[in-house]
């Protein structure tokens, strides 16, 4: 409750919370339907979707790393975030006004991924603002900010469920995302602390781009980031297959997809808020392994139970495991580069790249040799291997 109160009363944390909540609303509108838009609506097919997913991930991580390093070099975090939000506005505007096959490819593989810089910069802002409070409150603050990213899933996805159940087209997500992106733009312009006038000291790093990149690429750091990417790759696999296994052939549809994803995200929120207290004293790496195992139950069984009422029970291990694997790695990664908040936050993008590339490989292999069920099993297996490797590395 103390962390929640701080996030509501501190102007910088309040700005970070509002921006991340609006970004969460955009992501939950677009993410679950990226695969079905690429495969079915715009006709790219399974292989084309895998290529778009890989391109999207590469652009996202490159932009996040460059943006994070640049923010550390100049301490102009507001300006960097503003450029990222403008890219999101442009991508959603193009799809809302002139939707088409190649416009979708441009938006999905370039413009929208560039906006992922915002995610890392929000956590960099929150980490810097949290330095003014006692250390035992900082993990709670980060958990609240991460929960605010997931909170829109509780509201937005059920609304999409109603829209799709009434016969709405999936492409309606883009004009709505444009409105949300415009809200992010206003929030950054009006509420984000101005560069050079923050209540905490934020000095330029003094590192060249090459030196900063070399610091991020040191083997102990890079190996842990890849291992964490493997862990969270299971969530990318889940997002990729959920709208492809809940289909009319098993008595499901887009409304069920929105409801399922919304339930998972909605239940994640209270677990995220409770996690810092419930797991106090538990080492991070075994906790990540437990979370990966719980999340793997949901991913592996989703294709099997998609047409059964039992599928709704999977939201419980999904929410608990997701709360762990989505929040604990944030503090873990930021501590790897504690003196570089921008670069440390951009490690989350590198982690996502590793996870997305691994998920894309699982998707290609699974769909080539079997089906979506095999994609799920491969994703879970890689996730558990990554969690075990991370645990073993930290024990040594």
């Amino acid at each position: 409750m103390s962390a929640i109160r701080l996030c509501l009363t501190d102007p910088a944390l309040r700005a970070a919370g509002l921006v991340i909540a609006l970004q969460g609303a955009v992501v939950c509108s677009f993410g679950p339907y990226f695969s079905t838009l690429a495969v079915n609506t715009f006709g790219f097919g399974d292989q084309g979707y895998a290529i778009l997913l890989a391109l999207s991930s590469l652009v996202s991580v490159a932009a996040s790393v460059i943006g994070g390093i640049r923010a550390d070099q100049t301490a102009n975090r507001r300006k960097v975030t503003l450029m990222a939000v403008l890219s999101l506005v442009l991508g959603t505007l193009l799809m809302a006004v002139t939707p088409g096959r190649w416009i979708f490819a441009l938006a999905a593989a370039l413009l929208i991924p560039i906006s992922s810089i915002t995610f890392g910069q929000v956590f960099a802002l929150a980490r810097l603002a949290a330095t003014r409070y006692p250390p035992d409150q900082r993990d709670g603050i980060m958990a609240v900010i991460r929960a605010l990213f997931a909170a829109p899933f509780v509201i937005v996805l059920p609304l999409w469920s109603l829209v799709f159940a009434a016969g709405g087209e999936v492409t309606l997500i883009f004009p709505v995302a444009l409105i949300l992106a415009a809200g992010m733009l206003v929030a950054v312009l009006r509420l984000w602390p101005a560069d050079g006038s923050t209540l905490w000291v934020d000095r330029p790093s003094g590192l060249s781009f090459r030196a900063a990149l070399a610091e991020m690429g040191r083997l102990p750091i890079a190996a842990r980031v890849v291992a964490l990417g493997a862990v969270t790759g299971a969530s990318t696999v889940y997002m990729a297959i959920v709208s492809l296994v809940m289909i009319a052939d098993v008595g499901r549809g887009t409304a069920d997809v929105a409801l399922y994803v919304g339930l998972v995200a909605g239940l994640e929120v209270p677990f995220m808020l409770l996690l810092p207290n419930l797991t106090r004293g538990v080492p991070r790496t075994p906790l990540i392994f437990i979370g990966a195992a719980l999340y793997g139950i949901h991913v592996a069984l989703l294709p099997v139970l998609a047409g059964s009422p039992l599928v709704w029970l999977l939201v419980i291990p999904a929410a608990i495991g997701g709360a762990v694997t989505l929040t604990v790695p944030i503090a873990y990664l930021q501590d790897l580069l504690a003196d570089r908040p921008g670069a440390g936050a951009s490690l989350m993008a590198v982690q996502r790249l590793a996870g997305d590339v691994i998920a894309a490989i699982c998707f290609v292999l699974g769909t080539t040799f079997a089906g979506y069920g095999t994609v799920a099993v491969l994703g879970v297996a890689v996730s558990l291997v990554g969690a075990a490797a991370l645990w073993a590395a930290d024990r040594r």
Side-chain angles (χ1 to χ4, degrees):
M1 292 303 298
S2 175
I4 294 173
R5 184 171 60 253
L6 288 175
C7 290
L8 290 174
T9 57
D10 185 291
L13 292 175
R14 190 165 60 236
L18 178 58
V19 172
I20 203 71
L22 289 170
Q23 187 175 28
V26 173
V27 171
C28 75
S29 294
F30 178 65
Y33 303 105
F34 182 10
S35 57
T36 194
L37 281 164
V39 174
N40 300 322
T41 305
F42 294 104
F44 283 97
D46 290 336
Q47 308 302 320
Y49 163 66
I51 292 172
L52 286 176
L53 178 61
L55 288 174
S56 171
S57 300
L58 287 169
V59 172
S60 175
V61 72
S64 295
V65 169
I66 293 170
I69 291 175
R70 185 61 180 166
D72 283 344
Q73 286 177 325
T74 63
N76 291 332
R77 304 188 189 280
R78 181 175 178 270
K79 185 181 294 184
V80 170
T81 307
L82 185 60
M83 293 175 60
V85 174
L86 285 172
S87 180
L88 178 62
V89 170
L90 179 58
T92 52
L93 176 64
L94 288 174
M95 280 302 299
V97 175
T98 58
R101 177 183 172 90
W102 297 111
I103 292 294
F104 172 78
L106 174 66
L110 181 63
L111 296 175
I112 294 176
I114 287 176
S115 70
S116 63
I117 294 173
T118 309
F119 188 86
Q121 290 311 303
V122 164
F123 281 99
L125 173 64
R127 183 178 180 86
L128 288 166
T131 58
R132 297 183 297 126
Y133 301 107
D136 61 350
Q137 291 184 325
R138 295 173 190 173
D139 277 357
I141 289 171
M142 290 300 173
V144 171
I145 297 297
R146 184 59 183 83
L148 286 171
F149 179 78
F153 287 67
V154 185
I155 302 170
V156 176
L157 282 173
L159 291 176
W160 281 124
S161 178
L162 294 174
V163 170
F164 296 142
E169 296 291 333
V170 180
T171 51
L172 285 174
I173 64 174
F174 291 107
V176 173
L178 174 59
I179 295 171
L180 296 169
M184 290 174 63
L185 182 61
V186 172
V188 173
L189 288 171
R190 300 293 298 274
L191 303 176
W192 195 282
D195 296 326
S197 62
T198 56
L199 297 176
W200 55 87
V201 177
D202 188 10
R203 295 189 182 91
S205 67
L207 291 178
S208 67
F209 182 83
R210 183 176 180 178
L213 201 60
E215 186 179 47
M216 295 174 63
R218 288 189 296 119
L219 183 59
I221 293 177
R224 284 166 169 78
V225 171
V226 172
L228 277 173
V231 171
T232 55
S235 63
T236 306
V237 167
Y238 154 59
M239 280 295 184
I241 67 172
V242 63
S243 62
L244 298 173
V245 298
M246 286 192 167
I247 56 176
D249 291 350
V250 296
R252 302 294 182 191
T254 52
D256 295 298
V257 174
L259 182 58
Y260 185 90
V261 177
L263 284 172
V264 172
L267 289 171
E268 281 175 349
V269 173
F271 285 116
M272 286 178 181
L273 296 176
L274 291 169
L275 199 61
N277 285 332
L278 293 177
T279 61
R280 184 169 292 149
V282 179
R284 285 173 178 163
T285 47
L287 186 59
I288 289 171
F289 183 85
I290 294 169
L294 287 170
Y295 199 80
I297 293 172
H298 131 78
V299 176
L301 293 180
L302 180 60
V304 178
L305 300 178
S308 166
L310 295 176
V311 73
W312 304 108
L313 296 178
L314 296 180
V315 300
I316 303 298
I320 299 173
V324 174
T325 58
L326 293 174
T327 56
V328 177
I330 292 174
Y332 185 93
L333 288 170
Q334 287 184 317
D335 284 349
L336 292 178
L337 288 173
D339 296 331
R340 307 277 183 264
S346 70
L347 288 178
M348 290 186 283
V350 181
Q351 173 204 342
R352 286 199 304 274
L353 171 66
D356 289 349
V357 170
I358 289 168
I361 293 171
C362 292
F363 191 89
V364 170
L365 292 176
T367 54
T368 299
F369 297 106
Y372 300 131
T374 304
V375 175
V377 171
L378 288 173
V380 171
V382 172
S383 176
L384 292 174
V385 169
L390 189 69
W391 189 358
D394 278 9
R395 287 183 66 185
R396 288 197 297 270

